[in-house]
């Protein structure tokens, strides 16, 4: 009897984690929390938000193990018609590129919510509802395989962030929120233009309207339009990344946002730009992205980000602003990885997206801890903290070291892979990017020194309290991940590897095919999935695939 | 018929003994002491026993491995792979250790000297509130240093490489409340990172050419992947050497090491004399195949080494800080080691590294005993002394009577450093000078000879100013100066014994009146076999005549006489002279002032590198970021859009769907125009 129940449960769970249901649940479950947040009393909202986000993390975690390692294609896919006349569908799926970003999102959100546990006192219900709505938007962006759906989630995600900065931010929050929304609206608009263009082209080619990501991958864009559509996408994502010179929204947004906002902004939202390049801008226009001049232009911008932002970071008097500029530098490394287009550099880029989310998230959280103690972000207001708050100081030192890429901590693995791979295709760019390694020490360690070390000469700092239990509960998982990813990144790379390798091969093959005027080889990672596994050519019917997943007359997505 | 055993290769099938524990034990020590530092900083029992204990155990395991290698005659490296660390595409490195003759010699030096210094620290740091934290850092350092010397591939070596830099940074700034000390730690880290940049680029090039970063694969593939003397191998090794220059404090990146003396003295002995700073020499020896293939780089290594040896020795002549003199001496001696490995005398370079570890650690620990004695004496009269009062040689003198054991052991170290027979430095230094001469590099050879005389000069001056002559310690303090506790003296005595006998492991056959011994060279020979074959094929045998005539024996006697004469003369002169205490002493004038001011290199770096970088930072931020991008473009467009928004607000209907439709229509029109046109 009991075994039957357990067996049935296990079977159902297995079904759940091998079908799209887990993704769909991850996308929409936070909305339930939103409803409860708004319905319950204000003081209950934070518990609802914490519970929801923790449950979301718990739900998402098994995906790490149920994910089929070695399969470069999309898993847990579904596709259900939504607006049939326009070819719009509810299509989701996960592959090695998005898996870790989804888990990063669900991992960071509860920590972010805990980080402002006592800070947010005004309009708490709205605040926590926004955080959960943001979660829905972010997960949605990473799982969407329909371009319309993607765009909807993309916009959904921007709205809560705008309010989080504008309503619960610090003194200059209105300016920062305005700047954030102006920049991103410009990006969104460009992307919308590009999406409409791609839709139109797809319809022209295949005769049927479709927003399906996989259909769009087969479209060869006319050569006159390639560059323009690519640039429209690329600019939208470049703002998000951000690439220099589209980065000036970022320091303001980070500084003015409450801690949770900064954490999510740096940890996840910037990765949307990286993800956009990986998923859309480059695969849709592989020959443009591989074009020597275009690639070099982006590599130079990324390089500028690494060196210039490091340079600017070094003189910031404001801790959060300094950390914000380090993000620009780190994301520069990731972009070098993408545009160098080798197996190591792309894998490193994806892994580094995760690493950066953890390390920079942790840095912002620590900056938040300091702010809550002294109500200032001025680095000069601190000094000698190691003598009064050893746990906080030790955390700051470890996290800073991870951020500057100390080997045996997480930042090194990604940075090393990026540079190792990039050197094969762009040695000069790589040598210059490696200079960023020197610079990283030059901008972050002086901050550590001025906060943690030096004389304890300010009276207010003598009575600071060390990390509370809540704060320890935030820091410990972050530090654990920093060490784990540095010492044993293999399980993570195993999951990234096949998809990243497929990405590189397909982009190269596709670019070649387009140049030669042949049909795109491609297509998409999923089609190739069957090849290495030497499976029969006909699509397998998986038991866990729900019947409504495939539309009559349409190719199954797998 | 008796079945004859197969004639197996010597030592084939040799298994290392618990190699993982060599590095694991110090790591465990770090975790225990680190937890103690955070949770129970007042309890001293844990660090006292765990700190030195784990290192002692680690030392015993290394010793067991050495004995078993000697017993089995094992010559081939054994790699132990624990887990795949990083794998992506065709790149894969494991968390792996390599046990071979070179790594075991290095591990022996590291664990042996570390153990003595840990024991010494129990006394030296006994009264410090950061006692547990100190041992946590020190254990962590030993862990990373062992990772560095036992690594089986370049990335794992780099873990150790940066890790020791981190510990150095933490320990230099150990007394973090003093700004100068925190600043010195930072300087060390950043200067080292410049070297690490080179190291990383070197690795990228190695991977691009050989397709691997594992030692065995890289060194096996290198002769095919790189043509002898080609640009590729030259540039690769130049980048690697940049890493060595940073870590081993050579020109032009030596500037961090003198400042590193702000750390506790046992730290200076361990990290900044005996172990970490020799990592660069180790790397050149480890990658000897690569450097042998790059004659230009090897020449540069030797040249930089010899130049640094002379330059640092010249500065040491006019320093007054008891630690800084020997810090510059360390830079200078590292220069000797590089000169050795630069001319292909790898075993000689490692031999000097080995003997130097004994006598330089000894000199630092002796300096520590002096500082400790003075510190306590000042404390007894109820004063907190300044750094000058306990570290400036001009405030010492005549301490021989109060600190007899320290004085004798310090002199043993001084004689070993000066290369006086029969102390260790005589054998190892002579061999390097000889090897450089034997390659026909007359100028470098002469520079190293001259440096040997300067070395004798500064170390005699150092020892005499400290222990001989009239004392310049204030009268009331003088009475309280006393010898350090036993726990500190025993390491001193053991190191002094080592400084006396270590050299006898290898007595060059060319030395007169002495039996030729080549145990050290023979032991390391298999490691350098491949590199030496390359040298032999392209540069020929070491010429066995000095560049200006005469054989090794003659020149060994000349060097010895030179060093001994200078040493004795300086000793007599300094002991007899009445010196003024630091507060009343005038700043040296003329050329001495140039040396005293360290050739003004720090000032030059500050003027031409540090300040321009900082100024550029400021300009970038204020002018480009806030002025140009934000001020002109962003806020400008913001203003423009507000104006446009006001105009467009007339069109506002408040109906969202209208907007959406309007946007879509607009987009479609644009696209149609683009496609049609």
């Amino acid at each position: 009897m009991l075994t039957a129940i357990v067996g049935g449960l296990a079977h159902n769970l297995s079904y759940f984690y091998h079908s799209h249901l887990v993704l769909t649940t991850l996308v929409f479950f936070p909305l339930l929390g939103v409803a409860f947040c708004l319905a319950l009393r204000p003081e209950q909202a934070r518990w609802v938000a914490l519970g929801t986000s923790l449950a979301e993390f718990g739900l998402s975690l098994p995906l790490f193990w149920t994910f089929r390692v070695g399969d470069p294609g999309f898993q847990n896919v579904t596709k259900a018609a939504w607006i049939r006349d326009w070819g719009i569908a509810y299509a989701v799926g996960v592959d090695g590129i998005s898996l870790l970003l989804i888990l990063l999102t669900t991992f960071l959100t509860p920590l972010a919510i805990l980080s402002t546990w006592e800070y947010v006192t005004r309009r708490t219900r709205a605040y926590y509802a926004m955080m959960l709505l943001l979660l829905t938007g972010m997960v949605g962006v990473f799982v969407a395989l329909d371009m319309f759906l993607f765009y909807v989630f993309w916009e959904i995600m921007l709205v809560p962030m705008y309010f989080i900065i504008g309503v619960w931010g610090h003194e200059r929050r209105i300016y920062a929120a305005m700047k954030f929304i102006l920049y991103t609206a410009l990006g969104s608009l460009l992307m919308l233009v590009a999406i409409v263009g791609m839709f139109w082209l797809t319809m022209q080619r295949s005769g049927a309207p479709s927003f399906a990501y996989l259909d769009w991958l087969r479209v060869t864009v006319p050569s006159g339009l390639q560059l323009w559509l690519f640039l429209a996408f690329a600019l939208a994502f470049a703002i998000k990344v951000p690439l220099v010179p589209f980065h000036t929204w970022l320091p303001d947004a980070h500084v003015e946002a409450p801690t949770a906002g900064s954490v999510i902004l740096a940890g996840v939202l910037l990765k949307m730009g990286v993800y956009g390049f990986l998923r859309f801008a480059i695969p849709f226009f592989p020959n443009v992205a591989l074009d020597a001049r275009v690639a070099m232009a982006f590599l130079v911008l990324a390089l500028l980000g690494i060196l210039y932002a490091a340079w600017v970071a070094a003189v910031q008097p404001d801790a959060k602003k300094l950390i914000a500029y380090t993000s620009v530098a780190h994301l520069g490394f990731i972009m070098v990885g993408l545009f160098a287009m080798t197996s190591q550099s792309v894998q490193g880029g994806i892994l580094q997206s995760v690493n950066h989310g953890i390390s920079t998230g942790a840095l912002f959280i620590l900056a938040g801890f300091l702010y809550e103690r002294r109500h200032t972000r001025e680095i000069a207001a601190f000094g000698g903290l190691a003598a009064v708050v050893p746990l906080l100081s030790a955390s700051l030192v470890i996290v800073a070291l991870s951020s500057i890429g100390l080997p045996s901590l997480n930042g090194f693995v990604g940075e090393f892979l990026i540079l190792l791979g990039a050197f094969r295709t762009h040695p000069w760019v790589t040598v210059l990017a490696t200079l960023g390694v020197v610079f990283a020490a030059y901008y972050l360690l002086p901050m550590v020194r001025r906060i943690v070390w030096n004389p304890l000469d300010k009276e207010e700092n003598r009575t600071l309290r060390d990390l509370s239990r809540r704060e320890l509960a935030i820091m410990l998982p972050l530090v654990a991940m920093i060490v784990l990813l540095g010492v044993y990144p293999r399980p993570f790379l195993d999951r990234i590897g096949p998809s990243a390798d497929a990405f590189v091969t397909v982009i190269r093959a596709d670019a070649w095919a387009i140049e030669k005027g042949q049909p795109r080889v491609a297509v998409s990672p999923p089609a190739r999935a069957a090849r290495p596994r030497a499976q029969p050519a006909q699509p397998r019917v998986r038991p866990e695939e729900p019947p409504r997943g495939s539309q009559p007359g349409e190719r199954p997505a797998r | 018929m008796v079945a004859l055993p197969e004639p197996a290769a010597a030592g084939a099938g040799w298994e290392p003994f618990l190699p993982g524990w060599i590095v694991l034990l110090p790591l465990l020590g770090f975790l225990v002491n680190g937890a103690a530092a955070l949770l129970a900083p007042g309890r001293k029992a844990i660090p006292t026993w765990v700190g030195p204990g784990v290192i002692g155990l680690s030392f015993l395991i290394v010793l067991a491995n050495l004995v078993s290698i000697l017993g089995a005659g094992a010559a081939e490296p054994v790699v132990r792979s624990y887990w795949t660390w990083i794998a992506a595409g065709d790149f894969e490195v494991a968390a792996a250790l390599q046990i071979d003759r070179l790594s075991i010699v290095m591990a022996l030096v590291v664990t042996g000297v570390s153990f003595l210094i840990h024991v010494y620290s129990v006394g030296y740091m006994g009264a410090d509130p950061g006692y547990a934290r100190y041992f946590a850092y020190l254990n962590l350092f030993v862990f990373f240093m062992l990772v560095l010397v036992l690594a089986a591939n370049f990335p794992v070596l780099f873990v150790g490489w940066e890790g020791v830099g981190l510990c150095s940074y933490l320990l230099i700034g150990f007394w973090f409340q003093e700004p100068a000390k925190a600043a010195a730690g930072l300087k060390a880290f950043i200067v080292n990172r410049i070297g690490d940049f080179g190291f990383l680029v070197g690795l990228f090039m190695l991977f691009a050419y050989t397709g691997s970063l594992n030692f065995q694969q890289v060194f096996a593939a290198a002769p095919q992947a790189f043509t002898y003397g080609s640009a590729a191998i030259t540039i690769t090794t130049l980048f690697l050497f940049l890493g060595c220059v940073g870590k081993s404090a050579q020109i032009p990146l030596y500037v961090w090491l003198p400042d590193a003396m702000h750390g506790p003295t046992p730290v200076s002995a361990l990290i900044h004399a005996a172990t970490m700073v020799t990592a660069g020499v180790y790397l050149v020896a480890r990658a000897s195949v690569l450097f042998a293939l790059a004659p230009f780089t090897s020449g540069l290594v030797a040249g930089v080494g010899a130049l640094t040896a002379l330059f640092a020795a010249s500065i040491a002549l006019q320093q007054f800080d008891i630690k800084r003199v020997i810090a510059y001496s360390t830079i200078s001696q590292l220069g000797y080691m590089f000169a050795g490995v630069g001319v292909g005398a790898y075993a000689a370079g490692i031999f000097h590294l080995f003997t130097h570890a004994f006598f330089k650690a000894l000199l630092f620990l002796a300096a520590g005993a002096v500082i400790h004695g003075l510190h306590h004496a000042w404390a007894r009269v109820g004063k907190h002394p300044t750094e000058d009062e306990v570290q400036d040689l001009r405030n010492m003198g005549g301490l021989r009577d109060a600190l007899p054991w320290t004085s004798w052991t310090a002199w043993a170290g001084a004689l070993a450093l000066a290369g006086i027979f029969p102390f260790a430095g005589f054998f190892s230094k002579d061999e390097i000078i000889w090897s450089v001469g034997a390659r026909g590099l007359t100028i470098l050879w002469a520079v190293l000879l001259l440096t040997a005389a300067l070395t004798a000069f500064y170390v005699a001056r150092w020892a005499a100013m400290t222990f001989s002559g009239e004392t310049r310690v204030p009268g009331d303090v003088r009475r309280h100066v006393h010898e350090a506790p036993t726990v500190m003296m025993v390491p001193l005595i053991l190191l002094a014994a080592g400084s006396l006998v270590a050299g006898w492991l290898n007595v060059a056959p060319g030395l007169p009146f002495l039996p030729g011994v080549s145990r050290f060279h023979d032991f390391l020979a298999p490691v350098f076999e491949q590199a030496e074959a390359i040298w032999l094929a392209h540069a020929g045998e070491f010429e066995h005549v000095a560049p200006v005539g005469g054989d090794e024996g003659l020149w060994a006697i000349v060097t010895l006489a030179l060093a001994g004469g200078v040493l004795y003369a300086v000793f007599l002169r300094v002991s007899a002279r009445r010196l003024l205490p630091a507060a009343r002493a005038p700043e040296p004038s003329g050329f001495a002032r140039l040396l005293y001011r360290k050739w003004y290199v720090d000032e030059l770096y500050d003027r031409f590198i540090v300040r321009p970088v900082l100024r550029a930072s400021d300009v970038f931020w204020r002018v480009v970021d806030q002025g140009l991008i934000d001020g002109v473009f962003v806020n400008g467009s913001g203003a423009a859009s507000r104006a446009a928004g006001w105009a467009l607000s007339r069109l506002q209907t408040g109906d969202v769907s209208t907007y959406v439709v309007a946007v879509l229509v607009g987009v479609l029109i644009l696209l149609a125009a683009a496609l049609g046109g």
Side-chain angles (χ1 to χ4, degrees):
Chain A
M1 176 68 185
L2 192 68
T3 43
I5 292 175
V6 172
L9 198 65
H11 180 265
N12 283 329
L13 266 181
S14 161
Y15 173 73
F16 181 77
Y17 277 106
H18 286 99
S19 71
H20 79 94
L21 287 176
V22 58
L23 301 183
T24 305
T25 313
L26 285 177
V27 172
F28 295 107
F29 177 69
L31 293 182
L32 202 65
V34 173
F36 273 102
C37 270
L38 297 175
L40 293 174
R41 277 175 291 130
E43 60 272 21
Q44 288 165 327
R46 62 184 189 178
W47 289 103
V48 171
L50 181 66
T52 311
S53 60
L54 278 176
E56 172 98 348
F57 176 60
L59 268 174
S60 67
L61 199 56
L63 204 54
F64 187 79
W65 288 279
T66 58
F67 183 84
R68 277 192 311 283
V69 175
D71 180 351
F74 287 104
Q75 305 183 17
N76 303 60
V77 288
T78 190
K79 185 170 178 184
W82 178 13
I83 306 173
R84 214 174 286 256
D85 293 346
W86 291 81
I88 295 169
Y90 172 78
V92 294
V94 58
D95 71 349
I97 295 174
S98 52
L99 174 72
L100 294 184
L101 292 172
I102 295 169
L103 292 174
L104 175 73
T105 308
T106 58
F107 172 71
L108 283 179
T109 304
L111 300 179
I113 287 173
L114 266 178
S115 74
T116 41
W117 198 245
E118 277 144 19
Y119 169 79
V120 173
T121 46
R122 293 179 302 121
R123 307 181 194 205
T124 44
R125 285 190 299 191
Y127 174 78
Y128 288 107
M130 288 293 177
M131 286 300 291
L132 293 177
L133 186 62
L134 188 57
L135 183 56
T136 284
M138 293 187 296
V139 176
V141 164
F142 288 133
V143 299
L145 290 183
D146 179 277
M147 295 308 292
F148 188 86
L149 189 68
F150 164 77
Y151 192 76
V152 169
F153 283 128
W154 180 271
E155 295 296 314
I156 283 183
M157 159 193 95
L158 296 177
V159 176
M161 187 45 87
Y162 169 71
F163 282 110
I164 287 173
I165 299 172
V167 177
W168 294 276
H170 299 298
E171 305 81 38
R172 292 174 70 234
R173 57 180 180 265
I174 303 296
Y175 171 75
M178 224 26 229
K179 208 161 159 184
F180 170 77
I181 212 71
L182 270 179
Y183 260 110
T184 37
L186 174 70
S188 295
L189 205 65
L190 283 168
M191 187 158 67
L192 185 64
V193 173
I195 285 178
V196 171
M198 282 298 289
F199 170 74
W200 205 74
L201 283 167
T202 314
M203 192 154 76
Q204 212 177 38
R205 297 294 133 121
S206 64
S210 169
F211 273 94
Y213 171 65
L214 301 180
D215 289 344
W216 287 25
L217 278 180
R218 298 193 193 91
V219 175
T220 303
V221 179
S223 53
L225 266 178
Q226 279 167 1
L227 182 66
W228 297 109
L229 286 179
F230 170 78
L231 284 181
F233 271 115
L235 194 61
F237 298 133
I239 289 172
K240 204 92 234 156
V241 167
L243 278 174
V244 171
F246 312 109
H247 66 283
T248 61
W249 63 271
L250 179 113
D252 286 304
H254 271 311
V255 169
E256 299 307 327
T259 303
S262 308
V263 171
I264 296 297
L265 201 53
V268 185
L269 259 59
L270 306 190
K271 309 310 146 42
M272 304 274 173
V274 177
Y275 180 79
F277 275 101
L278 269 168
R279 188 68 93 208
F280 307 114
I282 298 175
F284 287 160
F285 317 95
N287 57 322
V288 181
L290 275 184
D291 180 273
R293 284 158 302 174
V294 174
M296 190 46 84
F298 277 87
L299 284 169
V300 167
L301 289 184
L303 203 55
L304 270 178
I306 295 173
L307 300 178
Y308 169 83
W311 222 308
V312 174
V315 287
Q316 298 305 316
D318 180 314
K320 270 183 112 178
K321 207 161 201 169
L322 194 154
I323 301 167
Y325 275 106
T326 71
S327 279
V328 180
H330 279 113
L331 270 290
F333 275 107
I334 297 174
M335 294 310 289
V336 166
L338 296 199
F339 278 90
M341 201 62 77
T342 64
S343 167
Q344 286 87 17
S345 73
V346 172
Q347 291 197 40
I350 298 168
L351 186 68
Q352 194 62 357
S353 300
V354 178
N355 288 334
H356 172 264
I358 292 169
S359 303
T360 309
L363 277 177
F364 275 120
I365 287 173
L366 286 165
F369 289 170
L370 291 174
Y371 180 82
E372 286 180 18
R373 282 167 173 72
R374 288 286 319 277
H375 297 283
T376 174
R377 299 181 305 259
E378 288 282 313
I379 296 170
F382 299 94
L385 293 200
V388 274
V389 285
L391 287 173
L392 199 160
S393 304
S395 309
L396 183 57
V397 172
I398 293 172
V399 173
L401 289 172
S402 118
S403 182
I404 67 172
L406 186 86
S408 74
L409 299 181
N410 61 347
F412 173 73
V413 182
E415 232 169 66
F416 185 73
L417 279 177
I418 290 171
L419 296 171
L420 188 75
F423 189 84
R424 292 175 144 184
T425 50
H426 296 87
W428 286 109
V429 171
T430 309
V431 170
L432 290 173
T434 311
L435 274 179
V437 171
V438 181
F439 282 52
Y442 160 72
Y443 57 70
L444 259 179
L445 288 186
M447 179 188 91
V448 171
R449 174 188 153 204
R450 292 169 64 195
I451 293 176
V452 174
W453 289 310
N454 277 357
L456 180 61
D457 52 4
K458 308 203 174 48
E459 207 42 56
E460 308 91 307
N461 292 334
R462 292 184 183 278
T463 50
L464 295 185
R465 58 176 176 78
D466 208 349
L467 295 185
S468 66
R469 273 153 201 262
R470 168 179 69 87
E471 290 167 332
L472 264 181
I474 302 173
M475 284 320 295
L476 281 179
L478 288 166
V479 170
M481 285 309 292
I482 283 173
V483 175
L484 178 68
L485 275 160
V487 177
Y488 191 54
R490 176 137 190 237
F492 302 88
L493 284 170
D494 278 350
R495 280 155 181 79
I496 295 170
S499 297
D501 282 353
F503 169 82
V504 174
T505 2
V506 170
I507 297 299
R508 291 195 181 280
D510 254 358
W512 186 84
I514 291 171
E515 293 293 324
K516 293 275 175 268
Q518 293 174 2
R520 292 183 60 168
V521 226
V523 220
S524 50
R528 270 169 308 95
R531 230 185 288 153
R533 277 189 282 134
Q535 291 286 347
Q538 71 268 26
R540 287 186 300 159
V541 180
R542 302 190 68 89
E544 64 266 30
E545 201 144 18
R548 63 193 169 85
S550 46
Q551 290 292 307
E554 286 207 12
R555 280 180 50 154
R558 195 187 303 275
Chain B
M1 282 290 286
V2 182
L4 286 171
E6 289 280 321
W14 175 78
E15 287 291 309
F17 172 65
L18 300 178
W21 287 94
I22 301 174
V23 297
L24 200 58
L25 279 165
L27 182 65
L28 288 175
F30 160 68
L31 294 176
V32 170
N33 287 326
L38 284 175
L39 305 174
R43 303 258 313 265
K44 297 212 164 157
I46 296 172
T48 301
W49 291 103
V50 174
V54 289
I55 310 298
L57 286 176
S58 192
F59 173 68
L60 291 178
I61 298 175
V62 175
L63 206 59
N65 275 293
L66 178 72
V67 169
S68 98
I69 288 182
L70 285 170
E76 290 301 307
V78 177
V79 172
R80 277 295 156 85
S81 197
Y82 297 96
W83 68 87
T84 305
W85 180 30
I86 309 177
D90 54 351
F91 173 74
E92 183 170 339
V93 288
L97 301 181
Q98 173 170 328
I99 316 294
D100 69 354
R101 295 183 161 202
L102 179 59
S103 65
I104 219 73
V105 165
M106 293 298 294
L108 193 72
V109 172
V110 170
T111 52
V113 176
S114 296
F115 177 64
L116 293 180
I117 290 172
H118 273 72
V119 171
Y120 178 96
S121 299
V122 169
Y124 192 86
M125 299 297 288
D128 199 279
Y131 190 68
R133 182 166 57 95
Y134 173 83
F135 275 104
Y137 290 167
L138 216 55
N139 281 172
L140 185 66
F141 167 76
V142 179
F143 163 72
F144 278 125
M145 193 65 209
L146 287 168
V147 168
L148 196 165
V149 298
L150 292 171
N153 55 54
F154 283 102
V156 172
L157 186 148
F158 192 62
V159 169
W161 187 270
E162 284 249 302
V164 291
L166 163 70
C167 297
S168 160
Y169 160 75
L170 292 172
L171 281 162
I172 295 169
F174 182 75
W175 290 304
F176 55 82
Q177 295 232 21
E178 291 166 54
K181 301 191 172 178
L186 190 63
K187 181 172 172 184
F189 201 95
I190 291 176
V191 173
N192 264 298
R193 275 246 154 175
I194 298 174
D196 295 347
F197 153 75
F199 190 104
L200 280 174
V201 175
L203 296 202
F204 304 150
M205 291 193 70
L206 275 183
F207 180 64
Y209 279 92
T210 67
S212 175
L213 286 179
N214 297 321
F215 287 156
Q216 294 192 320
Q217 275 127 298
V218 170
F219 300 147
Q224 284 79 50
F226 297 107
T227 326
Y228 177 82
S230 63
I233 185 66
T234 305
I235 295 170
T236 306
T237 45
L238 280 176
F239 273 116
L240 287 178
F241 182 55
L242 179 59
C244 302
V245 166
K247 189 107 297 180
S248 292
Q250 298 292 292
I251 292 173
L253 298 182
Y254 70 91
V255 287
W256 65 270
L257 186 61
D259 286 17
M261 294 303 123
H262 284 296
T265 308
V267 169
S268 312
L270 177 59
I271 302 184
H272 306 118
T275 55
M276 180 185 86
V277 289
T278 62
V281 182
Y282 168 74
L283 180 67
V284 177
R286 174 55 78 196
S288 55
V289 176
L290 305 177
F291 282 87
L293 285 168
F296 175 81
T297 314
S298 283
L300 189 79
V301 171
V304 167
L307 186 66
T308 308
L310 177 68
F311 181 78
S314 76
I315 296 176
L317 296 176
Q318 280 297 328
Q319 296 306 304
F320 291 101
D321 185 291
I322 190 169
K323 289 176 72 183
R324 277 188 188 242
V325 175
I326 33 183
Y328 280 103
S329 160
T330 303
I331 299 172
S332 172
Q333 296 300 308
L334 289 165
Y336 270 101
M337 296 174 210
F338 277 112
V341 295
V343 297
Y346 300 108
I350 295 295
F351 187 44
H352 195 52
L353 186 162
F354 177 76
T355 60
H356 177 259
F358 286 97
F359 59 72
K360 191 50 66 66
L362 169 60
L363 288 173
F364 269 112
L365 292 190
V370 172
I371 296 169
H372 183 87
L374 288 174
H375 222 284
H376 276 235
W378 279 92
R380 286 287 287 281
V381 300
K383 281 187 197 144
H384 188 74
T386 63
E387 199 170 285
D388 275 355
E389 278 164 336
V390 294
Q391 293 197 19
D392 197 306
L393 294 171
R394 289 168 294 192
N395 294 330
M396 297 178 185
L399 292 174
R400 185 176 46 194
D401 302 326
L403 307 169
W405 283 97
T406 308
S407 165
W408 282 114
T409 50
W411 270 108
L415 293 175
L417 172 61
I420 305 299
F421 180 85
F423 289 91
F426 170 72
F427 300 98
S428 56
K429 197 192 286 179
D430 177 73
E431 215 183 321
I432 288 175
I433 298 177
W434 177 252
S435 305
V436 171
R439 288 273 181 226
L441 302 167
T442 317
I443 295 176
L444 296 190
W445 176 78
V447 163
L448 292 179
L449 262 183
L450 172 64
T451 306
L454 297 184
T455 308
F457 188 106
Y458 67 68
V459 76
R461 169 179 173 274
W462 175 84
M465 281 180 85
T466 311
F467 298 110
S468 306
E470 256 178 64
T471 185
R472 297 170 295 277
V473 182
D476 49 337
V477 178
R478 193 183 308 157
R479 281 179 289 118
H480 296 291
V481 179
H482 62 90
E483 197 73 277
T486 320
V487 71
M488 289 167 67
M489 290 319 294
V490 170
L492 276 181
I493 292 163
L494 290 175
L495 286 169
S499 305
L500 184 59
V501 301
W504 290 89
L505 280 176
N506 208 78
V507 180
L511 294 176
F513 318 121
L514 296 171
V517 179
S518 60
R519 280 173 170 261
F520 200 88
H521 274 232
D522 291 346
F523 185 71
L524 289 180
V527 181
F528 303 125
E529 211 174 9
Q530 206 188 343
E532 264 156 19
I534 298 169
W535 275 96
L536 199 62
H538 295 278
E541 282 276 6
F542 279 102
E543 299 284 335
H544 266 277
V545 280
V548 294
D551 66 358
E552 182 168 4
L554 174 70
W555 281 103
I557 292 171
V558 170
T559 318
L560 180 60
L562 192 66
V566 168
L567 186 95
Y568 191 61
V570 171
F571 168 69
L572 287 182
R573 188 172 147 74
V574 172
S575 308
R577 215 162 44 154
R578 291 186 63 105
L579 294 162
L580 292 169
R584 283 187 282 139
E587 189 170 327
S589 56
F591 186 63
R593 183 187 203 138
L594 192 60
L595 298 181
Y596 174 70
R597 292 279 171 180
K598 303 164 262 177
W599 298 93
Y600 293 96
V601 171
D602 270 322
E603 286 78 359
L604 284 174
Y605 281 6
D606 188 58
R607 174 91 175 70
F608 291 105
I609 299 172
V610 181
R611 269 191 275 165
V613 165
L614 277 174
R615 204 172 315 130
S617 279
D618 209 55
V619 168
F620 276 141
W621 177 40
R622 286 185 205 285
V623 178
V624 180
D625 231 48
Q626 295 203 315
L628 190 68
I629 301 181
D630 261 15
V632 179
F633 293 117
V634 180
N635 296 343
S637 62
S641 67
R642 270 192 296 280
W646 178 82
L648 287 171
S649 63
R650 306 291 154 107
L651 299 172
Q652 235 171 15
T653 61
D655 181 359
V656 180
S657 60
T658 320
Y659 297 152
V660 175
V661 171
V663 167
L664 281 173
V665 167
V667 166
L668 283 172
I669 291 170
L670 282 173
L671 265 168
L675 286 171

